[in-house]
């Protein structure tokens, strides 16, 4: 998600800022998918905000455009986008050693809308 937002911003958003907001969105998605424990997204968001980094995409950037842009990411395989998802703060879902989990667009769109689990 972060890389997609970074590209859609025309690289006006710094890489670390994009990655930070991507972490928040992907933590929300992980909770919605039942991969992350409750409260993980709130803890990630809190840390990002306390660090002075953005926790959401720039205003006016359409969630559908972000999801479409994820299809060009290195983790997109055979038309499915895979995401690096936390199971909790400090631990990622290993997904059988691939470290990336495919998610339906609806889950990512809800996470982009700021909807938690």
């Amino acid at each position: 998600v972060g890389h997609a937002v970074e590209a859609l911003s025309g690289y006006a958003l710094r890489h670390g800022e994009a990655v930070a907001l991507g972490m928040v969105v992907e933590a929300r998605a992980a909770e919605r998918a039942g991969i992350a424990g409750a409260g993980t997204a709130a803890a990630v968001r809190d840390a990002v905000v306390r660090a002075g980094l953005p926790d959401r995409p720039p205003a006016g950037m359409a969630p559908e455009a972000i999801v479409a842009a994820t299809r060009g990411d290195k983790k997109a395989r055979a038309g499915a986008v895979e995401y690096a998802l936390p199971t909790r703060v400090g631990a990622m879902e290993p997904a059988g050693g691939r470290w990336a989990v495919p998610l339906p667009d609806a889950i990512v769109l809800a996470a982009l809308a700021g909807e938690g689990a």
Side-chain angles (χ1 to χ4, degrees):
V1 172
H3 292 149
V5 171
E6 181 182 27
L8 287 173
S9 78
Y11 298 92
L13 199 62
R14 293 182 183 138
H15 182 70
E17 294 171 329
V19 169
L21 75 86
M23 288 172 27
V24 173
V25 172
E26 290 179 17
R28 282 188 195 126
E31 279 192 36
R32 290 186 68 79
I35 292 168
T40 300
V44 169
R45 181 186 175 276
D46 182 58
V48 164
V49 169
R50 281 188 290 118
L53 295 166
D55 64 333
R56 67 192 66 155
M61 191 175 285
E64 295 80 9
I66 296 168
V67 169
T70 64
R71 299 199 190 303
D73 190 81
K74 62 189 172 200
K75 289 186 288 295
R77 294 175 176 88
V81 180
E82 297 184 356
Y83 299 88
L85 301 176
T87 55
R88 60 178 170 77
V89 172
M92 302 301 288
E93 171 57 49
R98 292 189 357 242
W99 300 97
V101 178
L103 288 179
D105 290 349
I107 288 178
V108 180
L109 287 167
L112 281 161
E115 298 173 16

